[in-house]
Amino acid sequence: MNLLSPHIALYRLYDLADEIDLSRLSTPRLRLSRPRLGAVRFENPPAQIELGVRSVEGISGLLTARLYEFGVASLSFRVHLGEKVSWEAFLAKALALPELPFWEGFFLAELAALEPYLQGALLRPEEKRLSEEFTVYHALGIEGEKAHAPPVDLTPLWMGAKEEFAPEVRREMERYRYSYSTEDLALLGFDRVLILDSEGIWDVADLVEFVHAQLLELSYYDGVLTQELEAVPQVLRHRGLWGYGQLQRLRRHLMARHAEIADVRARMEGALRITEDLFYAKIYRAALELYGAHELERSLEEKLRVLEATYEMVTEEVVHLRTQAVEVGILALIAFEVVRAFWH
């Protein structure tokens, strides 16, 4: 049994900056090939750069970069395995290729080579960069079989290992299996995605890439909020009038950070529009669930609420200290007037 024109695509995503000004880059934008009657639409599609064929350790593939306005860059390396490949040979390659030790160095070197082109477009670059990775397996189908019901066990590919899996694992896998017609199949795994599409369309991979880009940005700001909230108690130890200046600075900083995160979240939420509950919309929502985006969003929401409460508490303390300062000033003026009266 043969897979038709199978590919393996390795993805690495990096958080480069708070924002990438895509208007400064003269590059084409990503367009979904088959947007399912407008159910999913990018409001500001990522910029796309074809970097050409690369060869690493004897493996050749097409390298592509995508740049998202909320500061994330994605690199994908797409390897074509041949026109017809047996399922056993494909599975062996699919499990082994992503685990080769040189990929991290390869992608970091390619990212470093790309960065000079991005100068001026990166707004507030990040020094400490978070990263995400996943793998896409794509084929035109299985020779002589309908794509939506392949007569092979997909669990090893979904789990990334050849083992005897329990029935519970297979039932869980079925939750993330989608078909629009008998000629296609999309199977979402945590860090692996299988796509069988007779027309050779990669839209599902593009949607999964976008979800990983969102996860990366959410993870970054979740970490930022954690650091901000951990630093607050140290400042709050400086009570009384001597701590007034520090509290004022903390208050302004918390307000600015809250506004920044609210702006980034608004841009991320508006980056992709879901208008109807069709095939791509279901896949997008399933990917958000599977990759833990909802948990990250809840964590971010909770920390933002704590940040707002801290801001209100610091504001009350600043007002209290300001009132104290005014009262002390009034008492000082009264004392001065009394002393002056006695003096005369």
Side-chain angles (χ1 to χ4, degrees):
M1 185 174 54
N2 295 322
L3 276 177
L4 303 176
S5 192
H7 291 76
I8 298 177
L10 307 175
Y11 287 75
R12 294 293 187 279
L13 292 87
Y14 302 93
D15 183 29
L16 298 186
D18 283 355
E19 184 179 349
I20 300 177
D21 187 351
L22 301 182
S23 64
R24 300 186 184 184
L25 304 174
S26 55
T27 56
R29 300 298 189 90
L30 170 66
R31 294 184 63 185
L32 296 178
S33 301
R34 189 170 51 203
R36 304 293 187 191
L37 305 179
V40 178
R41 184 179 70 254
F42 286 104
E43 291 298 311
N44 189 11
Q48 181 166 290
I49 307 172
E50 299 290 348
L51 297 174
V53 175
R54 298 287 192 273
S55 183
V56 52
E57 300 291 333
I59 301 171
S60 295
L62 178 64
L63 186 68
T64 302
R66 294 221 181 104
L67 307 167
Y68 292 84
E69 64 169 338
F70 44 82
V72 173
S74 172
L75 295 176
S76 66
F77 184 68
R78 188 181 297 183
V79 180
H80 187 213
L81 302 183
E83 294 306 317
K84 289 184 181 181
V85 178
S86 71
W87 173 257
E88 291 75 16
F90 168 75
L91 182 59
K93 183 74 74 174
L95 297 182
L97 190 67
E99 306 303 324
L100 295 175
F102 48 75
W103 291 122
E104 195 62 32
F106 167 73
F107 281 109
L108 288 174
E110 291 294 343
L111 181 66
L114 178 65
E115 285 192 78
Y117 173 76
L118 305 179
Q119 290 298 321
L122 298 181
L123 307 182
R124 300 173 298 281
E126 298 293 342
E127 293 184 5
K128 186 178 179 181
R129 294 172 174 175
L130 300 179
S131 63
E132 283 271 341
E133 63 183 76
F134 68 100
T135 304
V136 171
Y137 308 115
H138 187 289
L140 298 182
I142 297 177
E143 189 175 25
E145 304 289 345
K146 293 293 185 181
H148 79 291
V152 292
D153 183 9
L154 300 177
T155 317
L157 192 67
W158 189 67
M159 292 293 293
K162 289 190 79 171
E163 295 182 24
E164 289 295 326
F165 295 104
E168 291 80 7
V169 174
R170 299 176 193 278
R171 285 197 294 269
E172 181 68 14
M173 180 183 70
E174 290 300 318
R175 293 181 55 213
Y176 299 103
R177 180 171 173 162
Y178 299 90
S179 290
Y180 185 75
S181 72
T182 60
E183 300 301 324
D184 62 64
L185 170 71
L187 177 63
L188 305 184
F190 185 73
D191 58 357
R192 298 165 189 261
V193 178
L194 172 65
I195 303 167
L196 302 180
D197 190 294
S198 61
E199 297 180 44
I201 291 174
W202 287 70
D203 287 358
V204 171
D206 297 337
L207 290 174
V208 170
E209 178 188 283
F210 179 73
V211 172
H212 277 283
Q214 287 182 299
L215 280 172
L216 198 57
E217 199 66 1
L218 287 172
S219 298
Y220 168 73
Y221 280 105
D222 187 66
V224 166
L225 281 176
T226 299
Q227 291 179 345
E228 296 288 356
L229 294 173
E230 287 174 350
V232 167
Q234 184 67 32
V235 177
L236 293 180
R237 290 192 186 100
H238 301 282
R239 306 299 292 269
L241 292 175
W242 297 112
Y244 178 79
Q246 285 181 302
L247 287 174
Q248 274 283 50
R249 287 191 293 274
L250 174 62
R251 179 171 172 266
R252 287 193 295 269
H253 180 74
L254 293 177
M255 181 172 61
R257 183 64 81 183
H258 187 279
E260 174 191 350
I261 293 175
D263 177 63
V264 169
R265 290 189 68 202
R267 281 191 283 115
M268 286 176 56
E269 290 170 0
L272 194 71
R273 293 293 182 188
I274 305 294
T275 59
E276 297 180 49
D277 190 24
L278 296 178
F279 181 67
Y280 284 3
K282 289 179 180 179
I283 288 177
Y284 174 68
R285 293 191 181 105
L288 288 174
E289 174 195 325
L290 177 63
Y291 304 144
H294 298 316
E295 286 77 7
L296 260 177
E297 286 178 342
R298 283 194 288 269
S299 173
L300 204 60
E301 285 283 355
E302 181 61 31
K303 288 174 183 176
L304 279 173
R305 281 195 291 270
V306 174
L307 187 70
E308 290 169 357
T310 304
Y311 173 79
E312 291 174 2
M313 181 181 65
V314 172
T315 298
E316 290 175 2
E317 183 69 13
V318 166
V319 171
H320 174 67
L321 290 176
R322 190 180 296 156
T323 303
Q324 279 188 323
V326 171
E327 291 173 352
V328 169
I330 292 172
L331 290 174
L333 286 173
I334 292 172
F336 175 75
E337 291 296 332
V338 171
V339 169
R340 190 173 68 167
F342 275 109
W343 181 264
H344 288 298

